[in-house]
């Protein structure tokens, strides 16, 4: 329990400088990896983001982790995220493993109760999404979809009986 309030100026300067350098390295690597890394997150992207934060914290506070080790870890995590997303665009099975399928929650004003239960979405969340979409009544909404990112999309009016954008929702009745 020695030095719980202050260890040394050397420790403070190391933490300060390594955190700044690690942060700059992480920003550079994220920008180099493309827009997809910083997009709205699915579960896979969320895990990578948490891991990057954990590495930055370890790099900043753990004296046994060198800057080179931290930057290498950033690079590996970002490269793996890039590789997995690259593969998911090209191989359907990879995409199915790392991303969830959109789910139709409401169709032609009727709630899909089994889908709501399976996805653990409450009526309050449905009402909130309707309000955010400028809708005052669920019966006036043609479709609501729980996207793979966790967002709920409101489609007030469908112009087609077989809309292309709903076909990937696993429980689309059309």
């Amino acid at each position: 329990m020695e030095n719980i309030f202050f260890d040394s100026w050397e420790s403070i300067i190391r933490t300060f400088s390594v955190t700044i350098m690690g942060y700059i390295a992480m920003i550079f690597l994220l920008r180099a990896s493309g827009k997809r890394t910083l997009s709205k997150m699915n579960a896979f992207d969320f895990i990578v983001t948490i891991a990057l934060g954990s590495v930055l914290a370890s790099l900043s506070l753990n004296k046994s982790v060198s800057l080179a080790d931290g930057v290498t870890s950033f690079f590996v995590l970002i490269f793996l995220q890039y590789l997995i997303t690259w593969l998911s665009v090209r191989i359907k099975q990879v995409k199915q493993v790392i991303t969830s399928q959109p789910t139709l929650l409401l169709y032609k004003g009727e709630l899909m109760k089994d889908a709501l239960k399976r996805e653990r979405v409450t009526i309050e969340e449905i009402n909130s999404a309707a309000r955010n979409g400028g809708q005052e009544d669920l019966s006036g909404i043609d479709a609501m979809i729980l996207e793979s990112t966790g967002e709920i999309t409101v489609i007030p009016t469908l112009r087609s009986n077989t809309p292309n954008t709903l076909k990937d929702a696993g429980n689309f009745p059309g």
Side-chain angles (χ1 to χ4, degrees), residues 9-165:
W9 284 108
E10 181 181 322
S11 174
I12 299 287
I13 292 169
R14 182 209 178 274
T15 300
F16 183 81
S17 58
V18 169
T19 300
I20 289 173
M21 289 184 286
Y23 181 77
I24 290 169
M26 185 168 57
I27 296 284
F28 173 75
L29 290 169
L30 286 171
R31 292 289 294 154
S33 69
K35 293 177 185 172
R36 173 71 171 86
T37 308
L38 300 173
S39 68
K40 292 185 179 184
M41 295 186 277
N42 58 38
F44 174 73
D45 298 323
F46 181 70
I47 290 167
V48 171
T49 302
I50 296 297
L52 287 171
S54 179
V55 170
L56 183 59
S58 294
L59 175 63
S60 298
L61 300 173
N62 189 341
K63 290 181 176 89
S64 65
V65 178
S66 71
L67 180 61
D69 291 341
V71 171
T72 300
S73 184
F74 289 151
F75 175 78
V76 170
L77 288 168
I78 292 169
F79 174 76
L80 287 174
Q81 197 265 355
Y82 179 86
L83 177 66
I84 296 294
T85 55
W86 185 86
L87 288 170
S88 74
V89 170
R90 288 157 178 80
I91 302 170
K92 185 178 181 179
Q93 293 84 355
V94 174
K95 182 181 181 215
Q96 290 173 340
V97 168
I98 67 162
T99 60
S100 60
Q101 187 175 16
T103 303
L104 190 64
L105 302 175
L106 179 140
Y107 186 67
K108 304 262 183 183
E110 294 292 321
L111 290 171
M112 313 290 273
K113 294 186 190 249
D114 289 341
L116 290 171
K117 285 180 186 176
R118 185 176 56 254
E119 298 295 342
R120 297 178 315 276
V121 175
T122 67
I123 190 66
E124 291 82 10
E125 290 170 303
I126 293 293
N127 288 334
S128 176
R131 289 189 302 271
N132 286 335
Q135 301 297 312
E136 60 185 46
D137 188 10
L138 296 180
S139 64
I141 299 172
D142 278 356
M144 290 180 96
I145 299 100
L146 178 64
E147 304 292 353
S148 61
T149 60
E151 287 184 87
I152 297 175
T153 301
V154 176
I155 302 175
T157 306
L158 295 172
R159 296 186 185 131
S160 165
N161 289 335
T162 56
N164 291 336
T165 62

